[in-house]
Amino acid sequence: MAIVTALVLLSAVVGVVLWRYLRVPRNFPKNIPCIPIYVSLLGLWSDMGQDEIYDRWLRKPLEHYGAVKFWFAGRWSILVTQPEYLSEVFRNEEVHAKAGNQVKIPWSVLASLLGDNIISAHGENWRLYTSIMRPGIAKRGFDTGPLLDKSRKFVDLLLRQQLIQGKQQGVVVNPLLQRLTIDVVGQSFLDKDFKCLETNHTPIEQLQSAMKRSIFKPLYMNFPSLDKYPWLFRSRRRAFMLVHQFETILYNQVRSRSGKSAGAAGVGKSDSLIHLLEQALLEGKITDNQFRANLKITFITGHENVQLLLNSMFWQIGKNQEVQHKLREEIQATGIVDPSAETLNTLPYLTSVIFELLRLYPPISQLTNRATTQSAAVGDISIPSGTWVGWNAYGVHTDRNVWGSSALDFIPERWGRTVEEMQLRYRKETVRGAYIPFNAYTRKCIGQGFALLEMKMVVFELVRRVCWKVDPSYKYKLPGAGVLTPVGCRVMVEDLQEVKRSIEVELDDFADLAV
């Protein structure tokens, strides 16, 4: 009897603790619906993609109310998709303050990985990081030579991989894109060529892949408190270890790069981002921890977002041959094989394709990275102080109330006919909160200009030299949470020169038969 009583009491205590942990706060707004907590936990047992989950449980309430109560990262938050609400949140940085994992879950693996950096910091720290890093990230006149060189090496590698695979099977492109984009961010911002395209399985590339597999597990993303107990969870011990190894290797490789004297700022390009960070460290403007955090965030976001969008591009343009054909016509009509930034930025169809890819496949589709510093109102929704507020880019980008009946269709022509028209609409939709692949207002991504340039250069070189189609055996699938890009996309690639030669041989054979 005593045992039964003890078990009942224990169950009651556990039930009360769970209820207090999982219940929606009483001061949360009552005029928006609450998404059942199991929707956030689907990744634990379901293989549904983000698009399927959004369409089934989130689209209708979000498009009707503009915001919902949503469970994420161990707490209830407000998730927003209505453009007017998004604009309000992004515009009022002092009320809806940027706050990353170092504030939300400071004990976690993610906080250990990213630290306090230019993306997640707020107030004085953010202004300090921006003053140091903006000249190296948002500068005009990037040397496009290294970017073109890496794009060509990527196409060479892609063709070699297809040759190895044979004509009956496609190439999985995402691992190759990781090698490309790591090399680009290294050369463009860190004054370091990691040589991932030239060398298989470089340590930095292998660690990056291992971290992604280890860190972003649904259980720990939804219940980050478990990260407090790495002694209990072997996978979290491994995750913390990988983060430490990654930081050590990245720091040592960048700080000991050739052309830099020990203990001094880089003696290479004085306007390169890494030189500016090293100079700030040398002058005592930032601490070693701040230097490391901003080095890591530059490396991770500088390569990963473009990698993911390029992966989506292979899928979308691989299955849409008409778009690929129109791109090739525009690019071949230039007669240019060594494009400059000026050339790339004058191509209207290429520009519209990139903008449309960002609309349907925003690499980071959802984030909860704002915290109210005081009670706030978003439309008629009252949000209490200390509430976490998130946004869903995929949701607003595919809202038929915002983008019309064709919101879910890939239509580059919707952006206009000239580059000027497209850029005007790009700015207009961003300001009104309808288009947020790079966020908006004061906290918009300062690297967006380079990201767009990199996308254009890689697509230009690809379309100029190869044609591709999606492997018929590939089944389209998006991840259940996190990044938004097709999982394991495989494409079948052909060298356009080889295709041309094959056609010429067939024509010659036909002519001989005719004679």
Side-chain angles (χ1 to χ4, degrees), residues 380-443:
D380 62 350
I381 302 170
S382 297
I383 303 177
S385 178
T387 301
W388 288 87
V389 179
W391 45 266
N392 188 300
Y394 176 78
V396 68
H397 289 182
T398 58
D399 187 340
R400 292 183 177 90
N401 300 315
V402 179
W403 292 90
S405 60
S406 64
L408 287 165
D409 300 325
F410 187 82
I411 306 175
E413 291 80 5
R414 77 172 74 241
W415 291 93
R417 292 181 298 176
T418 67
V419 171
E420 291 72 25
E421 285 180 8
M422 295 169 192
Q423 290 174 336
L424 180 63
R425 184 167 192 193
Y426 177 101
R427 291 191 293 269
K428 175 186 173 184
E429 302 295 355
T430 299
V431 168
R432 79 181 185 103
Y435 187 66
I436 55 170
F438 295 111
N439 219 289
Y441 292 95
T442 57
R443 298 307 299 267

Side-chain angles (χ1 to χ4, degrees), residues 278-382:
E278 288 175 331
Q279 194 66 37
L281 177 63
L282 191 65
E283 295 172 1
K285 294 180 180 178
I286 56 175
T287 66
D288 184 65
N289 282 340
Q290 291 172 324
F291 174 87
R292 288 170 180 263
N294 283 293
L295 171 62
K296 289 185 290 183
I297 200 67
T298 298
F299 177 89
I300 293 170
T301 60
H303 88 268
E304 193 170 74
N305 290 343
V306 176
Q307 172 194 344
L308 296 169
L309 190 61
L310 283 169
N311 184 64
S312 300
M313 180 275 302
F314 269 106
W315 156 258
Q316 183 63 57
I317 300 178
K319 72 185 182 76
N320 196 328
Q321 293 295 307
E322 182 182 352
V323 171
Q324 191 176 144
H325 178 70
K326 289 180 70 173
L327 267 176
R328 188 167 293 112
E329 281 189 332
E330 179 179 73
I331 287 167
Q332 290 179 341
T334 66
I336 294 172
V337 296
D338 300 322
S340 63
E342 290 73 20
T343 298
L344 295 170
N345 290 331
T346 59
L347 299 176
Y349 197 65
L350 176 60
T351 300
S352 68
V353 166
I354 303 301
F355 286 178
E356 188 72 345
L357 283 167
L358 283 164
R359 189 182 68 83
L360 284 182
Y361 304 95
I364 306 301
S365 61
Q366 180 175 307
L367 274 181
T368 303
N369 64 348
R370 302 272 179 157
T372 52
T373 58
Q374 62 188 56
S375 297
V378 175
D380 62 350
I381 302 170
S382 297

Side-chain angles (χ1 to χ4, degrees), residues 148-164 171 176 179-180 197-198 314 461-462 464-466 493 495:
L148 177 59
D149 177 62
K150 290 296 183 181
S151 299
R152 286 174 173 165
K153 288 179 179 177
F154 168 73
V155 177
D156 293 340
L157 178 61
L158 185 64
L159 288 169
R160 286 200 301 273
Q161 289 298 116
Q162 184 64 77
L163 188 63
I164 293 170
V171 176
L176 306 183
R179 293 166 67 176
L180 163 68
L197 287 172
E198 294 87 347
F314 269 106
E461 185 65 10
L462 269 168
R464 187 182 72 82
R465 290 182 53 192
V466 302
V493 187
D495 187 330

Side-chain angles (χ1 to χ4, degrees), residues 37 75 127 460 472:
I37 191 170
R75 69 186 75 211
R127 284 186 280 274
F460 185 103

Side-chain angles (χ1 to χ4, degrees), residues 220-235:
Y220 303 107
M221 290 295 98
N222 280 289
F223 300 101
S225 294
L226 298 177
D227 281 4
K228 293 179 179 179
Y229 312 106
W231 53 270
L232 185 59
F233 299 100
R234 182 179 177 183
S235 67

